[in-house]
Amino acid sequence: MSSGRPAGTMAARFAPPCCAGLLDRARATAGFMPDDEGLALHELAHRATRGRSSATVVEIGAWCGKSTLYLGAAAYAEGAVLFSVDHHHGSEENQAGWEHHDATLVDPATGRIDTLPTWRRTVDDAGLGHCVVGVVGESPVVAGHWTTPVDLCFIDGGHGEEPAWADFTGWAPHVAPGGWLAIHDVFPDPADGGRPPYELWCAAVASGDWAEDGAWGSLRALRRIRTASS
Ligand code: SAH
Ligand code: MG
């Protein structure tokens, strides 16, 4: 009996994703992640989850799903789950009149940025719906109710003083012993970008809780060597 669907559509949609294909999709997705940093993030997610059962990756700041795919491709390959946290209304710098605004992402019904439909399409079209979970809400609220130890936490949410520190103080304590914290947009030279991500990276290093474990462009990785001191 015919389902009425065009022949081949289902097979194409549910073909298992392949890593190279997922990385190509990540490159083609709108967002703020250069490919070399995305590939480093992807490798870090492999390292953080390999050989662990039920490994947990958390992303703070997804936008349209670019970093979600770099991370999600590794989560898929390693049998891990990626929780992608975003309220999907954009950061301060994404609002009208700011540098990183995209008017095509404004919901005409509300006048607000809404990247959730695009993010969902990115994840579904990549075939990652079973291992990527969207958590839609304020990052500090989610962090405050979170209880699962995290193997890799990637912080790339709001970059202003208040949201960046709230992400760090809210999420860093959830990183498991031996787990990784990755921070994006760390710019030691103020001429290259805003200060808060760099400042919280400095604070993390100074705390003695973390060992530096790699730098690629503005992406920095830290590995937990001591239980949270605060
Ligand atoms: N990682 C993305 C870019 C993220 S941009 C990429 O690879 O392209 C920053 C994102 O953080 C935005 O989508 C914004 O909605 C989200 N964000 C900012 N502040 C937030 C908060 N307090 N809670 C949840 N999400 C937040
Ligand atoms: Mg970023």
Side-chain angles (χ1 to χ4, degrees), residues 30 63-64 101-108 112-115 118:
W63 191 240
C64 296
H101 183 62
D102 179 349
T104 66
L105 293 167
V106 173
D107 178 348
R112 297 185 76 184
I113 287 200
D114 187 358
T115 52
T118 310

Side-chain angles (χ1 to χ4, degrees), residues 8-227:
T9 303
M10 292 300 281
R13 199 163 178 81
F14 293 111
C18 82
C19 193
L22 291 172
L23 295 177
D24 279 343
R25 281 179 182 274
R27 291 179 190 108
T29 300
F32 309 103
M33 174 68 53
D35 188 47
D36 55 340
E37 298 177 23
L39 290 174
L41 189 63
H42 174 74
E43 283 307 318
L44 198 58
H46 271 294
R47 277 174 70 200
T49 58
R50 185 163 294 150
R52 293 176 196 229
S53 64
S54 316
T56 301
V57 179
V58 174
E59 151 175 85
I60 316 301
W63 191 240
C64 296
K66 192 178 190 70
S67 50
T68 311
L69 291 196
Y70 283 112
L71 291 167
Y76 170 71
E78 304 291 350
V81 174
L82 166 64
F83 294 90
S84 175
V85 181
D86 200 310
H87 52 40
H88 286 285
H89 287 312
S91 304
E92 190 179 31
E93 53 272 26
N94 303 124
Q95 306 306 316
W98 288 70
E99 188 187 352
H100 297 295
H101 183 62
D102 179 349
T104 66
L105 293 167
V106 173
D107 178 348
T110 63
R112 297 185 76 184
I113 287 200
D114 187 358
T115 52
L116 180 56
T118 310
W119 180 89
R120 183 194 287 276
R121 206 174 315 125
T122 300
V123 171
D124 283 350
D125 286 354
L128 292 182
H130 62 295
C131 63
V132 176
V133 178
V135 182
V136 181
E138 281 288 340
S139 161
V141 175
V142 181
H145 286 262
W146 190 269
T147 53
T148 304
V150 176
D151 297 295
L152 166 63
C153 180
F154 170 57
I155 295 185
D156 192 23
H159 289 22
E161 180 106 17
E162 198 190 316
W165 277 99
D167 284 344
F168 177 64
T169 56
W171 285 101
H174 292 302
V175 176
W180 279 266
L181 177 68
I183 305 172
H184 199 224
D185 302 301
V186 171
F187 297 113
D189 183 345
D192 295 330
R195 307 310 289 151
Y198 172 68
E199 288 166 358
L200 59 90
W201 174 78
C202 290
V205 171
S207 72
D209 294 345
W210 305 90
E212 293 179 59
D213 197 40
W216 309 266
S218 73
L219 179 68
R220 297 282 186 282
L222 298 163
R223 189 160 191 194
R224 183 177 286 292
I225 52 173
R226 202 174 71 176
T227 308

